[in-house]
Amino acid sequence: QKEVEQDPGPLSVPEGAIVSLNCTYSNSAFQYFMWYRQYSRKGPELLMYTYSSGNKEDGRFTAQVDKSSKYISLFIRDSQPSDSATYLCAMGTGGYNKLIFGAGTRLAVHP
Amino acid sequence: SQTIHQWPATLVQPVGSPLSLECTVEGTSNPNLYWYRQAAGRGLQLLFYSVGIGQISSEVPQNLSASRPQDRQFILSSKKLLLSDSGFYLCAWTGTGRHEQFFGPGTRLTVL
């Protein structure tokens, strides 16, 4: 079993839709969680960082962490074609800040 | 503000040739530095990390090596490339006491 599971998609939605991206994990020692956005042939860009259960909002993005279920989500409201990218979840336990990444979910938002 | 550079952006090398990829960070001091490889359609695999000059930890045994000759410089090398070394190589940094990692633009390596 992988430490972090993420559905690779692709996920195709119409412009304006609410998008839900999810990751599950098996290691209860994970303390902090991140979401990255990666455009084709580019480096990942940090979108959200959180270390506690609950919700964190930043503009159209909401990160949700449920440590009891070992489940994290990223919600994108009013999705735009510019949101079309691969979204990677990542999590760490604290040691030298090493992160474990999900495989990424490819999202396509069509006009 | 902090910026991270990687070069070259693209590289095509024959099997058995040497490799040197460079990563530099500006605007911070004593960062933790990381090398990742991303195969097509897959997540990021941590290859090496460094917490200081000359301090390198290897995560995956392979024919690659890393060095940190200066505080903000991280180099990934190989003496003889294999076909399986093809991929997208990413350098990342994080500040002291921080968890968020910030990535460079990456180097796309094709070994023929």
Side-chain angles (χ1 to χ4, degrees), chain A residues 8 31-32 34 36 38 40-46 49 51 86 88 94-104, chain B residues 10 32 34 36 38 41-44 46 49 51 59 88 90 94-95 97-106 108:
Chain A
Q31 299 174 10
Y32 50 90
M34 297 171 211
Y36 288 84
Q38 186 177 22
S40 180
R41 308 181 77 85
K42 302 290 185 183
E45 169 193 3
L46 180 64
Y49 162 71
Y51 54 85
T86 296
L88 300 160
Y96 295 111
N97 302 328
K98 290 193 289 184
L99 297 179
I100 306 298
F101 284 81
Chain B
T10 306
N32 288 351
Y34 308 83
Y36 290 88
Q38 186 176 34
R42 300 180 66 179
L44 277 67
L46 179 63
Y49 68 92
V51 299
E59 288 294 297
F88 193 42
L90 290 155
T94 189
R98 308 288 302 184
H99 297 140
E100 309 95 306
Q101 290 186 19
F102 300 95
F103 286 84
R108 188 160 302 277

Side-chain angles (χ1 to χ4, degrees), chain B residues 8-68:
Chain B
T10 306
L11 194 58
V12 180
Q13 292 285 92
V15 169
S17 64
L19 173 74
S20 181
L21 303 182
E22 189 165 342
C23 169
T24 58
V25 181
E26 295 178 355
T28 188
S29 58
N30 197 32
N32 288 351
L33 297 171
Y34 308 83
W35 278 113
Y36 290 88
R37 177 170 58 204
Q38 186 176 34
R42 300 180 66 179
L44 277 67
Q45 178 188 35
L46 179 63
L47 302 175
F48 301 94
Y49 68 92
S50 171
V51 299
I53 296 174
Q55 301 179 63
I56 308 295
S57 295
S58 173
E59 288 294 297
V60 182
Q62 56 208 327
N63 72 322
L64 298 172
S65 62
S67 61
R68 186 170 176 175

Side-chain angles (χ1 to χ4, degrees), chain A residues 14-31:
Chain A
E15 184 174 356
I18 296 175
V19 176
S20 172
L21 304 166
N22 311 296
C23 286
T24 58
Y25 61 95
S26 57
N27 187 353
S28 58
F30 286 136
Q31 299 174 10

